[in-house]
Amino acid sequence: MKYIFVTGGVVSSLGKGLTAAALGTLLENRGLKVALQKFDPYLNLDPGTMSPYQHGEVYVLDDGAETDLDLGHYERFTSTKLTRKNNTTSGQVYQQVLDNERAGKYLGKTVQVIPHVTDEIQRRIQVLADDAKVDVIITEVGGTTGDIEGLPFLEAIREFGQEVGPHNVCFIHVTYVPFIKAAGELKTKPTQQSVAKLREIGISPNILVCRCEKSLDKELRQKMAMFCSVPFEAVVEHKDVDHSIYEVPLMLQRERLDDLVCRVLNLTVPQANMTHWQEIIRKLIAPQHRVRIAVVGKYIELQDAYKSVYEAVIHGGVANDCGVEIEKLDAEDIEKFGPEKILKGVGGILVPGGFGERGIEGKIIAAKYAREHKIPYLGLCLGMQIATIEFGRNVLGLKDAHSTEFDPSTPHPVIALLDEQRKVTKKGGTMRLGSQPCQLTMGSKAQQLYGAFVVNERHRHRYEFNNAYRDRYAASGFVFAGTSTDGKLVEMIELADHPFYLASQSHPEFLSKPNAPHPLFRGFIAAAHQRMHNKSL
């Protein structure tokens, strides 16, 4: 087993997750089996209770784990299937250590960060290694070198590296080389300081991945190589990409990052054939068609809040050789200024998931506008509930129809709490989570798009369609396109008299990849293009 540890320095949000995912892509295409893992130093057990403004998107796995959004990058860029074992937080580690202490497992010893906390971190690496049956495990350590909360993780991987030996471990340090506009040059000092801090901890990186706006010249690379004690060729340039994050694997391949890693780990494998990936980039840079998609949300100003949604929309474009211009629209602006001004000229309208009452009426207005103007509509999780509320109010005449999440006293609770949620008091990890089977209705648009009758999609919700209203909805052209296999829960809906009006209680965006776009997003983009250009793709 070979191990790669990816650390970061200077500043946060450098793209360690993207670097790890892109490296995973390259190694997979060299014939290696790869697993990826994320260590997050925060004390939350998981990001499930954290605000999108704090943490961005919560990414849900098949087994119901609520994880860091970087795991989305891992699954989109590689073929790996992740579980809760692939994401570890400080909160989980300390909870396990304290549980062990209460159970007497430390035989009366004083419980300390070293060795007990660091041993637990290493145990989690080993558990994944034992279960994954892969050639290489890539572990990303969240946070920035020097952060006090990240020190136990760095000490743990230092000890782990010593234990497995020098040719079985590779340390990659992602750092930042800022361009100082006034001086007109790149500065290497922050990288030198960051590596010095890492070496104080006892880790000497094998490879430097340098995020930068401008290209690194030979002199700068030589300087960093000398002061950071790495070979000249191990100073890897990672410039900001021009078009898409999916350019990153090709850029790092040009810098020979995968060759360097294979050399450090004594791996003899063929070069990566990235021809299929190059075709994806071609479709992103020079697509045959164009379309505008409105994403109507409440966390629009934060890019990472709807990360998987935006990526899945782009994948739908790739499937149709269609460039997608995403209009990020605040639902509250639709409430203030009206849909005609905000939504005019778009090819499709997408309403993503979310929690809380703010912006709900704006989303309902957007769903109504899409229905009445025959604009392709795709609803995700809350987006399905919004479509249900709008149809109830404006087609069925159910005055003040709503979800009990937002109006507990509504006279028409067309969306209500799941039965198993009624006695739940804790917030974290208690929703309907993870992969659930869905029985698709024969002849429905959803069934045609999937080309199957039973599919599995990932969920994260507490509320559902209220079955007391099923007959009234069905009688008015509201199609139940998918249900749980026992028929009790409505999982997908669509409208019979609309070119494309489809919504899912699940989060299909979590299963979309650039080289395997999700069927719902593929169909949505095709319908949106047809709407804008009056022709099929």
Side-chain angles (χ1 to χ4, degrees), residues 285-303:
I285 295 174
Q288 297 295 309
H289 315 283
R290 295 280 178 183
V291 70
R292 286 175 61 213
I293 299 296
V295 175
V296 181
K298 61 186 291 184
Y299 313 116
I300 288 299
E301 62 269 38
L302 186 68
Q303 168 72 17

Side-chain angles (χ1 to χ4, degrees), residues 25 29 246-247 249-251 253-254 272-286 318 515:
T25 304
N29 282 279
Y246 301 112
E247 295 176 71
L250 299 178
M251 178 174 58
Q253 185 185 41
R254 288 194 294 270
N273 182 352
M274 299 296 288
T275 306
H276 66 294
W277 208 263
Q278 290 166 347
E279 178 60 13
I280 291 170
I281 301 304
R282 197 278 302 163
K283 290 178 179 178
L284 289 168
I285 295 174
V318 170
N515 54 354

Side-chain angles (χ1 to χ4, degrees), residues 8 112 123-124 126 183 193 225 318 382 407 414 515:
Q112 298 175 290
R123 185 189 72 82
R124 287 167 178 258
Q126 195 59 56
Q193 296 286 353
V318 170
L382 176 62
D407 182 6
V414 295
N515 54 354

Side-chain angles (χ1 to χ4, degrees), residues 195 199 204-206 208 223-232:
V195 172
R199 292 171 72 188
S204 293
N206 302 99
L208 291 182
K223 190 175 182 180
M224 283 189 283
M226 180 175 66
F227 284 108
C228 299
S229 297
V230 299
F232 171 79

